[in-house]
Amino acid sequence: MDRFRHEALAVVLQVRGLDQQEPRLQVLLKQRHRDPFAGAWALPSGPVGAGESLGESVRRHLAALMQVRELAHLEQLETRGEVGRDPKQRTIATAYLGLVPWTSEPELPPRVGWHPVDALPEIAFDHAEVVRDGVRRLRSKLSYTNIAFALAPQRFTLAELRDMYAAALDRKVSVTNLQRILLRRGQLESTGEQRTQQGRGGGRPAGLFRFTESRLRVTDQFATLRPGGERSARAKP
């Protein structure tokens, strides 16, 4: 009987550069030091142990690179089993999507770093396709779930949230429409606190908000979030 290697992959995404007013959606990659694809970058991955679940496996491999508690959300993304995806041996891969809040700064080992999803370096195997699938999943779920909680800290201004959404969705976002949509869906609430704006904000105090839940749920299964001001589209169930 033929035996296949089964590995767990992690697409860990974070909006970075928000404090420098240059927010971009980025993915965690590790540079390979051996063939195949020596010198190229790859997603965190490793074999699934005989006595562990897929979720346990992906968390174990991530723990070698970063503090897993930095992850605010982790969900199964897809399974890939194309023949030849690993030139060394037949390998089945189950990928997970992980999200990290923009304020987190996990300590990373050498040869591990964050890379913009729209400017990836040379990527090993089919991992560039897996990254694209992870980004599509995130952008889709930003439309009909409260998954944005996993990209945000506990408290934030609406301007920060707008910039995060714009980076994650890769398009302009209206803060007024974003606030209206999220309040209507019950995702957002005011903390009653304020923060003095720095830089271009001119020192004006800004209200602080938080997400009402830190667990994934569907908020509108038929809606497509368009916080840039366009009318929401309706899709078939």
Side-chain angles (χ1 to χ4, degrees):
M1 179 183 294
D2 292 336
R3 294 188 177 184
F4 306 135
R5 180 176 180 269
H6 193 174
E7 68 176 0
L9 294 173
V11 183
V12 179
L13 300 176
Q14 182 185 31
V15 173
R16 297 179 60 81
L18 207 68
D19 57 338
Q20 301 171 2
Q21 299 176 339
E22 296 178 355
R24 298 179 76 181
L25 186 63
Q26 302 196 27
V27 62
L28 186 69
L29 298 175
K30 179 180 180 180
Q31 191 172 33
R32 292 179 58 81
H33 63 274
R34 63 176 183 272
D35 288 327
F37 304 107
W41 294 80
L43 293 167
S45 66
V48 178
E52 65 184 358
S53 68
L54 289 168
E56 290 169 341
S57 178
V58 75
R59 288 182 179 274
R60 174 171 60 86
H61 295 303
L62 280 174
L65 305 181
M66 61 177 287
Q67 295 175 323
V68 178
R69 68 173 180 269
E70 300 280 2
L71 285 173
H73 179 71
L74 186 68
E75 67 176 59
Q76 191 168 325
L77 175 63
E78 63 183 9
T79 296
R80 303 183 70 91
E82 294 86 348
V83 176
R85 60 175 301 274
D86 184 339
K88 188 174 182 181
Q89 64 182 119
R90 179 71 193 278
T91 302
I92 309 298
T94 299
Y96 277 71
L97 172 65
L99 302 177
V100 177
W102 75 66
T103 51
S104 296
E105 196 60 57
E107 185 176 347
L108 303 177
R111 304 169 72 96
V112 177
W114 298 96
H115 297 264
V117 299
D118 57 354
L120 295 175
E122 180 186 356
I123 300 293
F125 308 105
D126 54 0
H127 291 190
E129 297 175 15
V130 182
V131 172
R132 286 193 289 269
D133 289 345
V135 172
R136 279 195 290 264
R137 169 73 65 85
L138 171 62
R139 289 174 176 167
S140 175
K141 283 199 165 183
L142 284 171
S143 297
Y144 64 89
T145 77
N146 65 335
I147 201 170
F149 79 84
L151 293 171
Q154 291 185 350
R155 301 183 305 166
F156 45 82
T157 67
L158 288 175
E160 290 171 335
L161 188 66
R162 181 265 323 275
D163 291 346
M164 182 276 286
Y165 264 92
L169 294 170
D170 191 29
R171 66 170 184 255
K172 291 183 178 181
V173 171
S174 161
V175 68
T176 302
N177 284 288
L178 179 64
Q179 180 183 11
R180 175 178 55 81
I181 292 171
L182 296 185
L183 285 174
R184 187 184 69 224
R185 294 183 180 182
Q187 296 185 39
L188 204 61
E189 64 183 6
S190 171
T191 67
E193 302 170 281
Q194 291 187 325
R195 179 195 298 160
T196 300
Q197 295 278 52
Q198 301 295 325
R200 292 183 301 178
R204 294 181 301 159
L208 291 173
F209 289 77
R210 63 186 166 220
F211 281 99
T212 55
E213 294 182 78
S214 58
R215 180 175 297 181
L216 183 69
R217 70 177 178 90
V218 174
T219 57
D220 189 338
Q221 63 180 323
F222 302 117
T224 299
L225 179 64
R226 298 188 181 279
E230 306 95 327
R231 179 174 297 179
S232 294
R234 291 278 167 175
K236 294 181 180 181

